Amino acid sequence: MITRKILLAALLVPLGATLAVAPAASAAAPPAASAASASPDAVAFRSPEAALDRVAHRLRTTEPRGNVADLRPFGTMVGDATVVGVGEATHSSHEFVTLKHRMLRYLVEEKGFRTFALEAAWSSGLRIDAYLTRGEGDLKQIMDEEFQGAYSWWNNAEYRDLLQWARSYNIQHPGDPVRFVGDDNGFAGPQLYDKVNTFAAASSPELAAQITELYQGLRPTTSAETYVNDYLAKPLAERKAIAERTGRAVDLLKQHPGANPDAHAWAVQHAGAIHQMTTLYAFDLDDPGAIPGAMLYRDRVMADNIAWWQQRTGSKIMISAHNSHTALKTYAPASHPRVQGEFLREQLGTGYLSVGLTFNQGTFNAFNHDGAPQRFTAAPAAPGTAEHTLDKVRHRDYVVDLRTAPTAARAWLAEPHTIKNIGATYPGIADAPQIRLTQTHDVLIHLHQVQAAHMLN
């Protein structure tokens, strides 16, 4: 029987994964033209790696500090996009986070981005945003308390460094700060209840009494991990009844706009975040047949929260999540019908840019099947897999625009290839996916090697 920790890890990155070693049947390169009859371009592009080699832009480093001029080609790829979803092939590898830190620096300094979004709870985002913008709280305490259970993979030195950089930037630019939003719905912290209750009390005694009754017994008083474990232990019928109550709270708030439209909009969103959690956990997560609906709901929520934040703040946003969330097309249609990136492309058109991150070999952290954190090693990519071909490009680490790749590369990119897709639990709950990269991401960043992130707890 699956433990709750494993279940929550699966929810964090439900697409899971295994490392594929079998070559994809369609991965073979097309026959090369003879040197005597082929044009120079044909010779250069006779294999997908040769074609990619011509258009790949080398990354000088994956570390966050120093000159970021080598990211200018990436900036061109971003163009006028206002939301950039940057994925990762594992949840806990050092280079994926440090590269995102470096990309955030570039997007903030050169492209006017002002929000970093993470696959974390909406309530966690509020606490981190308050720290970044106003210096409220202690960062270590915030990370320890917010990044628990399935979210514990974010409690690492690499994300601490990113957040410290953003705080430093904001001290120097108090009138134009970098902000933080959590777009996920795996937990709803006590501050959400407090903010909704405060708004209701200022609106009318009647509304305050109704909200208090609907939220009776729901405000967390324990750690996030304990709260979620205890919540999932409730009978399904009780969880469904709670979701009905939190839905009524949202409806009531919508009917009481009060005197301050901005305060009202935030109160409704905070109440909505509570309802997003209770709705997710009202699915029967012990029933495999209910998982597609739960995962569809979760990814739609993640997209909606990003869209709401952008509409409310006007900020350009960089999203950090798994490749399987930032993608334009689901990695596993049977169990995860649509994903965050699909919804964002639908809502924003080309205003949303999907960036996939792949790697050839290295180490990563994940929960094992006993629910314990463990460091794993990924061997070099096997022939026939996507990474095996991508790693033949002459640059150790590079970025490439899949939308404008040469014909030979695009033909290969359009075919299905096995790809590493490692979630919070390893091995994951889904088979290794066969991905058509041109359908899945706009831009691809490939790294030759990664190492496990440095966990703080």
Side-chain angles (χ1 to χ4, degrees):
M1 181 175 179
I2 193 167
T3 68
R4 290 195 181 95
K5 177 175 283 190
I6 296 298
L7 173 61
L8 292 176
L11 286 172
L12 180 62
V13 179
L15 303 179
T18 55
L19 289 177
V21 295
S26 58
S34 68
S37 61
S39 68
D41 277 350
V43 172
F45 291 173
R46 64 188 174 188
S47 66
E49 57 267 29
L52 289 170
D53 206 71
R54 293 284 294 269
V55 293
H57 299 273
R58 183 180 73 90
L59 295 178
R60 181 182 61 83
T61 181
T62 58
E63 294 304 304
R65 290 169 179 80
N67 191 292
V68 292
D70 57 315
L71 286 176
R72 288 174 186 158
F74 170 67
T76 300
M77 297 172 198
V78 170
D80 296 328
T82 58
V83 178
V84 174
V86 184
E88 57 200 17
T90 82
H91 263 323
S92 191
S93 289
H94 170 87
E95 287 77 7
F96 288 146
V97 184
T98 58
L99 178 58
K100 290 181 182 188
H101 181 170
R102 193 162 185 261
M103 295 168 74
L104 177 65
R105 268 192 56 211
Y106 176 84
L107 291 173
V108 167
E109 296 169 359
E110 302 295 333
K111 300 288 288 186
F113 280 61
R114 288 298 182 271
T115 294
F116 182 77
L118 183 61
E119 190 182 337
W122 180 265
S123 52
S124 301
L126 295 179
R127 287 190 71 186
I128 295 171
D129 187 59
Y131 168 79
L132 295 186
T133 57
R134 300 187 296 275
E136 294 181 7
D138 174 76
L139 181 59
K140 181 182 185 304
Q141 181 181 357
I142 293 170
M143 293 180 71
D144 285 347
E145 291 177 355
E146 297 300 326
F147 297 153
Q148 295 187 10
Y151 295 121
S152 63
W153 299 120
W154 308 154
N155 197 4
N156 59 52
E158 291 80 4
Y159 269 120
R160 179 188 60 190
D161 198 30
L162 183 155
L163 296 173
Q164 288 175 334
W165 170 83
R167 176 60 188 150
S168 177
Y169 179 93
N170 290 346
I171 290 172
Q172 299 173 47
H173 305 84
D176 188 23
V178 174
R179 302 194 63 182
F180 186 100
V181 61
D183 61 15
D184 205 1
N185 61 335
F187 176 63
Q191 58 269 48
L192 295 183
Y193 295 87
D194 297 342
K195 290 178 180 295
V196 173
N197 285 327
T198 297
F199 175 85
S203 179
S204 74
E206 179 185 5
L207 177 63
Q210 290 174 310
I211 293 296
T212 297
E213 181 180 358
L214 289 171
Y215 284 165
Q216 183 67 38
L218 297 184
R219 183 185 183 278
T221 57
T222 60
S223 71
E225 184 173 18
T226 298
Y227 179 87
V228 173
N229 283 336
D230 289 347
Y231 192 95
L232 284 172
K234 298 177 187 295
L236 179 61
E238 183 179 349
R239 301 202 308 265
K240 288 183 176 181
I242 292 173
E244 192 274 333
R245 284 163 49 193
T246 59
R248 279 195 283 144
V250 175
D251 292 339
L252 274 173
L253 286 166
K254 288 179 178 178
Q255 296 165 19
H256 292 78
N260 186 329
D262 188 62
H264 177 250
W266 283 96
V268 171
Q269 174 64 15
H270 297 329
I274 294 171
H275 185 54
Q276 289 169 1
M277 186 207 78
T278 61
T279 301
L280 176 65
Y281 294 149
F283 284 89
D284 184 359
L285 300 176
D286 292 322
D287 176 9
I291 297 300
M295 297 303 101
L296 177 66
Y297 176 74
R298 179 180 175 231
D299 271 270
R300 181 184 288 117
V301 159
M302 293 169 73
D304 287 347
N305 285 337
I306 291 295
W308 187 92
W309 180 274
Q310 185 176 66
Q311 292 164 6
R312 201 74 207 164
T313 67
S315 178
K316 293 183 179 180
I317 305 169
M318 174 180 160
I319 302 172
S320 174
H322 198 273
N323 283 337
S324 55
H325 290 303
T326 64
L328 299 171
K329 188 176 179 62
T330 178
Y331 278 33
S335 54
H336 307 83
R338 302 184 70 195
V339 294
Q340 181 184 24
E342 291 184 79
F343 290 117
L344 288 172
R345 174 57 59 86
E346 189 174 83
Q347 295 180 47
L348 304 176
T350 56
Y352 175 69
L353 184 84
S354 174
V355 183
L357 268 62
T358 60
F359 75 108
N360 174 57
Q361 61 183 319
T363 58
F364 59 92
N365 301 309
F367 293 122
N368 61 27
H369 276 189
D370 292 327
Q374 183 176 331
R375 179 171 296 188
F376 295 91
T377 298
T385 62
E387 296 90 349
H388 186 264
T389 296
L390 293 169
D391 210 59
K392 290 183 179 179
V393 172
R394 71 182 185 276
H395 305 307
R396 177 182 175 88
D397 303 322
Y398 63 89
V399 56
V400 62
D401 193 330
L402 303 181
R403 300 165 296 181
T404 58
T407 301
R410 288 188 62 79
W412 178 80
L413 292 165
E415 297 173 348
H417 300 283
T418 305
I419 196 166
K420 293 184 179 75
N421 179 46
I422 299 163
T425 299
Y426 183 77
I429 64 171
D431 293 332
Q434 293 279 310
I435 298 303
R436 300 176 189 268
L437 285 167
T438 50
Q439 295 181 12
T440 310
H441 300 288
D442 298 307
V443 172
L444 188 71
I445 296 178
H446 180 72
L447 306 181
H448 173 66
Q449 188 165 357
V450 299
Q451 60 179 324
H454 300 90
M455 303 306 299
L456 295 177
N457 277 340

